[in-house]
Amino acid sequence: MATPHGTTPLPEPSAPRPRAGRTRTAARLAGGLLTVLALLGAGLQLGHRLNTLDLPAVNRPTQDGYTLTVYFTPGQAYYHGPQHGIHDRACAGQNLPDTYPADFLDRVGLEGFGKTVHGDYLGWDFTQHCYFVTDRAPVGSHENPLVPWQSVAANQLSPGTRLRILDCGQGLSPDTCARVKSADWHVDDLCSIGCDDAKHLDLYIGEQTGADIDDQDSYFVTTNAVVQADAPAAAN
């Protein structure tokens, strides 16, 4: 199919890639790389997905050895790559004549949703491999709104499980660790391959607020965290 003038065809987004950790210091770089390499060595990827999975409610004692990663909603305004048309990869019933920066589309392909400069949201359907636009803010695996610094994607815990981060593990700044530990986390989303590890939690930190998100303290990979999981109350 022909593409709009001045644009080039966009390759289909690749399989979700591991999220890199902070790189501000050599110590953080080493820790992040070791974590990602270990996950890759096990054939794992940390991409976000929107599927539904119901697991038995179960309380788990305090456990250490958790890996914590984060995901977010990228904002088109912070990306300035070459423009690409995506109308030929629109989901059924969608009319997407717009073009978007290639680096923004790359992030959407990893995170699942991105906020456009028009104020709506561009989504990537990981099952149908197509784009769609919606006025709804990003949702979790049960069509629930994702809540910044509350929503968690985890495949081995039932929806509604409450989580307390008792120890942040390695590599977080004191301020970020304090925020992670004080947050009221709960499971309401799923990950793609990678969060199948029972000790891997993906924390939602909200919409992007600056171009330098990769260098922000809130964008991290940490290992050896200590977590308390409390199963949701049984329905009457």
Side-chain angles (χ1 to χ4, degrees):
M1 179 177 292
T3 58
H5 179 71
T7 67
T8 57
L10 175 68
E12 183 171 305
S14 57
R17 302 182 308 280
R19 296 188 175 94
R22 296 294 318 284
T23 58
R24 186 172 294 172
T25 67
R28 288 177 180 171
L29 175 60
L33 287 175
L34 286 174
T35 299
V36 172
L37 287 173
L39 291 169
L40 286 175
L44 305 179
Q45 296 174 318
L46 313 185
H48 173 240
R49 70 182 180 193
L50 296 175
N51 295 327
T52 297
L53 178 67
D54 292 304
L55 296 170
V58 58
N59 284 313
R60 298 191 177 188
T62 299
Q63 294 185 348
D64 59 10
Y66 271 82
T67 295
L68 306 180
T69 56
V70 298
Y71 66 112
F72 68 101
T73 301
Q76 181 183 351
Y78 302 112
Y79 298 88
H80 307 286
Q83 295 289 312
H84 290 285
I86 60 171
H87 57 280
D88 57 341
R89 289 197 173 92
C91 295
Q94 292 278 320
N95 179 23
L96 303 178
D98 290 335
T99 62
Y100 298 93
D103 48 353
F104 173 64
L105 294 172
D106 187 52
R107 283 287 197 180
V108 171
L110 174 63
E111 307 294 343
F113 288 95
K115 189 170 186 177
T116 76
V117 293
H118 305 298
D120 52 13
Y121 295 88
L122 179 69
W124 174 253
D125 188 315
F126 291 101
T127 301
Q128 301 297 323
H129 302 287
C130 59
Y131 291 101
F132 61 93
V133 170
T134 177
D135 291 332
R136 294 183 63 191
V139 297
S141 56
H142 290 271
E143 295 300 311
N144 52 282
L146 294 177
V147 182
W149 295 91
Q150 292 186 27
S151 293
V152 177
N155 289 358
Q156 302 297 330
L157 294 170
S158 57
T161 297
R162 299 282 295 274
L163 299 169
R164 292 180 59 210
I165 312 301
L166 305 179
D167 189 305
C168 297
Q170 303 167 350
L172 271 65
S173 70
D175 288 346
T176 299
C177 181
R179 187 174 187 185
V180 169
K181 290 171 66 175
S182 65
D184 182 18
W185 300 106
H186 59 270
V187 177
D188 60 4
D189 200 6
L190 294 173
C191 285
S192 64
I193 301 171
C195 287
D196 291 331
D197 178 359
K199 289 190 173 183
H200 181 181
L201 304 175
D202 208 15
L203 314 178
Y204 181 64
I205 59 173
E207 295 185 359
Q208 184 173 0
T209 58
D212 60 345
I213 188 166
D214 291 334
D215 292 324
Q216 294 177 5
D217 287 336
S218 58
Y219 187 74
F220 61 82
V221 174
T222 184
T223 58
N224 295 324
V226 179
V227 175
Q228 171 69 52
D230 298 319
N236 294 327

